[in-house]
Amino acid sequence: MAEPHTVAVVGMGYVGSCVAATLADRGLSVVGVDTDADLVSRLNRGTTPLAEPGLTELVAAGVRSGRLRATTDQEAVADADVVLLTVATPVRADGSLDDDHLRAACAALGRSLRAGQLVILKSTVPPGTTRDLVRPLLESSGLRAGTDFALAFAPERLAEGTALADLRALPVVVGGIDPHSTRVAADFLRGALGADTLPQESLEAAEIVKLADNWWIDLNIALANELAMFCDLYGVDVLDVISAANSIPKGNGHVNILRPSVGVGGSCLTKDPWMVWQSARRHGLEITTAPVGREVNQRMPGYTARLILDDLDARRVPPSEATVAVLGLAFKNDTGDLRATPARAVVEALLASGVRLRIHDPLVDPVRAQEIFGLPVTTTVEETVRDAHCVALLAMHRNFAALDFARLPVAESCLVLDGRAYLPKERIAMLERLGYTYRGVGR
C-alpha cells in the first residue's frame, strides 16, 4: 500500500477527536465521520465540546489549515487511504459488549470499502471481536481482509488530561489479521504519530493488551482503596505507607501502589474489567480479580459519604441541618468528563440522608451535570461553600489549587473532605490552624 495521505476517523468522540486533530497537526488530511450532526457542525467551526487541554486549539488549527473536516456522510470513508474506527463500545449490565455502534459503523464501512485500504479498529473490545465481528461485516463488501484490504487492531491507551501528549509519546500496540496487515498498520502508525510501535502476533494479543492495562489499573486502585481503609483503623496516613512501600525494587521496576480516592470513573476502567470477566466466562474460565476490583472501587463513594456523615454525627450536626458543598464533579482531576463519575454516588448517598447539597465544577457542562446530579451547578466557589459544614473536594482541578480557605464563608465548624486532592501535610496543618477538620481517604 502506498504511503497514505488521507485518513477517515469514524466516531468523533473523545478518542476520535484527539486522534483526528493530532493526525491533522502531523500533516495528514483527515475527515471525521460521525452520526451526530450537531457535533459535526461544531467541529467544522473549529470547536469541540470536549474539555481536553489543548484539543480545542488543535481542532481549530486543523480546520483553518484545511487538513481537518467532519461529515455525517458515511461514504466519505471511500476516499481515505486509512480508516480508523473509534466508535463507542460500552458494556451491558452483565458485562458483555454492547456492539450496536460498532456493528453499525462496520456495516456502513462495508458498503464503501475499496481494495487497498487499511482499516484499524481502535475501540476497546473483547478478544476475538475484530476477527469474528468486524471482519465479516467488512467482508460483506465482497473484499477479503488480508487479501484485498488490510485489517488491524491498535488500542488507544491515552489518559484524559494528557491525551494529546500520550498520542505522540506512548508506544502503539498493533496486531493484524495477517503479517502484512500488522506491518502496514505499524508503518502507518509509526509515521503518522511519530511514536514507537509494539507489533503483536495476532489481533487477539493486541486486544488483550488494552484490557490488561485497565484490569491492572483498576485492581491496583482497589488495593490502594482497601489499604486506605486498613490504615484508617490505626490512624495511619496511607500516603506515607504507599510512598515507603513503593521504594522497594521488584521485577523490572518498583512496587507501584497507586493512590486511593473517592472512587473510579470514566469510560474505560469501569467497563474493561467486566469485559475481561464476561469474555473469560464465555470460554469457561472464572476470573475473580476483575470483579473483586470493581466491587471494591464501587464501594468507595459510599465509604466517602460515610466519612462526611460520621463527622457530622461527631459534631452533633443532624443531616437535615447540614450543608455540604461539593467541589469537583468530574470523574478525574482537570477534566470535565462526567461519565461514570463517583461523585454522583456520593451526592446520592448524602441526599438520601437528608443533607442539603450544593455542587460546583468549572470544567463540566452545567446542563449535563444537572441532568446527572439532579441539582443546579452553582457558578462560584463562594456561593457553593456559604455556611457549609463540609467542603468535599471530589475532583481537585487546577482551578481549586489557589483556594483561600481563610476567606471561604463556611460554617463556624467545617470539615474539609479530601476525596482526590491529596493535600500535603503542611496544607492540612494550615487548615487545622484555621479551625477546619480534615479527613481524607485513609488519612
Side-chain angles (χ1 to χ4, degrees):
M1 188 176 71
E3 181 69 21
H5 298 287
T6 303
V7 180
V9 179
V10 180
M12 290 297 285
Y14 181 82
V15 170
S17 291
C18 289
V19 171
T22 298
L23 293 177
D25 186 59
R26 295 273 300 173
L28 283 78
S29 176
V30 183
V31 56
V33 182
D34 202 282
T35 58
D36 186 334
D38 180 62
L39 173 61
V40 165
S41 177
R42 294 181 68 169
L43 290 168
N44 285 328
R45 295 196 302 271
T47 65
T48 173
L50 301 169
E52 180 65 26
L55 181 59
T56 297
E57 294 80 2
L58 212 59
V59 168
V63 171
R64 284 197 305 270
S65 71
R67 290 192 295 269
L68 176 62
R69 67 181 181 89
T71 181
T72 58
D73 182 6
Q74 303 289 321
E75 296 182 2
V77 299
D79 297 326
D81 301 292
V82 177
V83 181
L84 304 180
L85 293 169
T86 59
V87 297
T89 49
V91 295
R92 301 185 178 94
D94 65 356
S96 62
L97 175 68
D98 181 348
D99 58 17
D100 290 348
H101 297 293
L102 183 58
R103 283 184 177 275
C106 290
L109 176 56
R111 291 191 289 271
S112 301
L113 196 66
R114 59 177 176 78
Q117 286 182 304
L118 165 62
V119 179
I120 303 176
L121 175 62
K122 300 187 73 61
S123 307
T124 305
V125 293
T129 301
T130 311
R131 187 182 305 276
D132 298 333
L133 188 152
V134 173
R135 177 183 183 174
L137 288 171
L138 297 184
E139 289 184 341
S140 65
S141 63
L143 302 175
R144 292 293 170 262
T147 302
D148 302 308
F149 65 95
L151 175 62
F153 180 82
E156 210 53 71
R157 300 189 294 164
L158 50 84
E160 291 197 31
T162 60
L164 300 180
D166 290 346
L167 276 168
R168 300 168 188 258
L170 292 180
V172 182
V173 172
V174 57
I177 193 82
D178 64 341
H180 171 72
S181 294
T182 303
R183 185 174 63 256
V184 296
D187 289 345
F188 163 71
L189 293 165
R190 188 184 305 112
L193 295 172
D196 292 335
T197 57
L198 299 174
Q200 303 297 300
E201 292 186 353
S202 67
L203 291 165
E204 288 76 16
E207 290 166 334
I208 291 173
V209 167
K210 172 61 180 296
L211 296 176
D213 280 335
N214 286 340
W215 182 3
W216 178 87
I217 293 169
D218 192 52
L219 192 59
N220 191 312
I221 295 172
L223 167 63
N225 283 331
E226 289 209 316
L227 178 60
M229 292 185 277
F230 185 63
C231 287
D232 195 45
L233 298 176
Y234 300 93
V236 171
D237 190 325
V238 68
L239 297 190
D240 290 344
V241 171
I242 289 174
S243 178
N246 285 352
S247 67
I248 188 171
K250 198 67 177 175
N252 295 324
H254 283 74
V255 171
N256 183 27
I257 303 171
L258 302 179
R259 294 187 293 187
S261 71
V262 60
V264 172
S267 64
C268 294
L269 295 183
T270 55
K271 71 178 177 68
D272 291 0
W274 290 123
M275 202 176 281
V276 169
W277 176 75
Q278 181 63 248
S279 299
R281 294 193 92 189
R282 287 204 311 272
H283 289 82
L285 173 64
E286 192 66 30
I287 291 288
T288 57
T289 55
V292 165
R294 284 284 69 233
E295 179 184 347
V296 170
N297 290 330
Q298 287 170 348
R299 288 205 312 258
M300 294 311 294
Y303 175 80
T304 304
R306 178 46 54 190
L307 292 177
I308 296 171
L309 294 171
D310 286 349
D311 178 81
L312 293 173
D313 183 64
R315 287 184 282 151
R316 294 183 171 82
V317 180
S320 60
E321 298 177 13
T323 298
V324 174
V326 173
L327 301 183
L329 305 174
F331 86 89
K332 175 178 182 179
N333 297 351
D334 297 316
T335 79
D337 197 336
L338 293 168
R339 289 178 294 178
T341 176
R344 177 179 185 175
V346 177
V347 166
E348 288 174 347
L350 293 173
L351 287 173
S353 74
V355 167
R356 294 190 299 270
L357 272 159
R358 301 192 200 103
I359 59 176
H360 173 73
D361 191 317
L363 300 185
V364 305
D365 178 347
V367 175
R368 179 62 179 147
Q370 183 162 355
E371 291 173 354
I372 291 173
F373 290 89
L375 296 168
V377 178
T378 54
T379 55
T380 67
V381 170
E382 289 72 19
E383 177 188 359
T384 310
V385 306
R386 188 169 303 281
D387 299 322
H389 298 87
C390 170
V391 175
L393 300 170
L394 301 189
M396 190 61 176
H397 303 321
R398 294 186 187 94
N399 308 58
F400 300 145
L403 282 177
D404 185 353
F405 283 90
R407 299 176 65 86
L408 294 183
V410 297
E412 184 175 345
S413 175
C414 184
L415 167 70
V416 173
L417 188 286
D418 183 347
R420 207 187 294 277
Y422 311 111
L423 297 180
K425 291 186 176 181
E426 297 79 11
R427 191 87 183 273
I428 296 170
M430 178 272 291
L431 289 171
E432 291 173 345
R433 287 195 299 271
L434 292 173
Y436 289 91
T437 301
Y438 173 87
R439 283 301 307 272
V441 179
R443 307 184 74 199

